[in-house]
Amino acid sequence: ARFGIASKALKRLAAKSPARFACHEAKEVEGKFAKWLRLVDHDRVLDFRRGDIFKLPVELIARADAIIMAVAFPPDMFGRVQKLLGHAKQGCRLLTYEDLKLGDSHTWDPPAPRAFHQLPCNGHADRYRVSWLPKPGHHFYLHEVGALQTSILKRRSLSSGSLAVQ
């Protein structure tokens, strides 16, 4: 339902400013549902994708400026999600439905290559109205991907027998 609402809004935006925006859509093999929608504004691109996030090419995660994961994952899948988000580039912003313990990325096994920092504007009292919990609302988690965790890289290179760069 969320993808359908978002894609309709994206198409309306493109239709209101056709000189500014191009809108492209790819459908599933059966052709019933869109699986991908792209809005292009000169050199800026907004992609909406529907499907299994674990089947996405890692390069898409690595190029993303923002990732919205408004989906509930069972706790036993958090490790897979963390590993996938470990490919995100520095500066990428993340909105997640679940507390994926991104701030503890240095303690993961193996540790994430980059640190994740919860945004200062994302306090514990922040609640957003959602259809299933209008009051008090649901707490979403906002993070930014930080720099490479150099201490982890040094430990990895020492344990693999290669020289660590200072």
Side-chain angles (χ1 to χ4, degrees):
R2 290 183 300 248
F3 182 88
I5 293 167
S7 65
K8 284 179 186 175
L10 207 62
K11 288 175 184 177
R12 280 195 313 270
L13 176 63
K16 286 187 179 202
S17 300
R20 180 175 176 189
F21 298 114
C23 189
H24 309 280
E25 182 176 35
K27 295 195 178 262
E28 294 175 346
V29 176
E30 301 86 32
K32 293 179 183 175
F33 301 105
K35 66 175 186 175
W36 166 79
L37 195 65
R38 171 173 283 169
L39 184 73
V40 180
D41 174 23
H42 304 289
D43 61 339
R44 296 171 24 176
V45 175
L46 174 63
D47 275 340
F48 286 170
R49 293 182 179 263
R50 176 197 330 226
D52 184 344
I53 192 164
F54 299 111
K55 292 182 180 177
L56 282 176
V58 173
E59 298 80 35
L60 288 176
I61 300 295
R63 287 193 332 246
D65 293 316
I67 299 171
I68 299 172
M69 298 179 77
V71 62
F73 290 101
D76 63 332
M77 290 190 70
F78 283 11
R80 283 185 74 193
V81 178
Q82 291 167 343
K83 183 177 179 180
L84 183 67
L85 293 176
H87 295 282
K89 69 181 181 181
Q90 182 175 355
C92 179
R93 299 280 178 107
L94 307 169
L95 179 140
T96 62
Y97 173 81
E98 298 281 359
D99 180 5
L100 298 170
K101 309 296 182 204
L102 297 176
D104 298 333
S105 61
H106 62 286
T107 66
W108 298 350
D109 186 24
R114 295 191 179 277
F116 295 87
H117 307 286
Q118 191 163 7
L119 296 178
C121 64
N122 187 219
H124 291 290
D126 284 344
R127 301 263 174 201
Y128 301 93
R129 291 179 62 117
V130 290
S131 59
W132 67 92
L133 190 63
K135 289 186 180 180
H138 181 75
H139 179 74
F140 287 86
Y141 298 85
L142 304 171
H143 287 81
E144 183 171 6
V145 180
L148 289 172
Q149 298 190 81
T150 55
S151 61
I152 291 168
L153 295 176
K154 287 179 186 177
R155 260 185 281 150
R156 284 185 185 164
S157 64
L158 288 174
S159 66
S160 69
S162 60
L163 294 175
V165 178
Q166 296 288 341

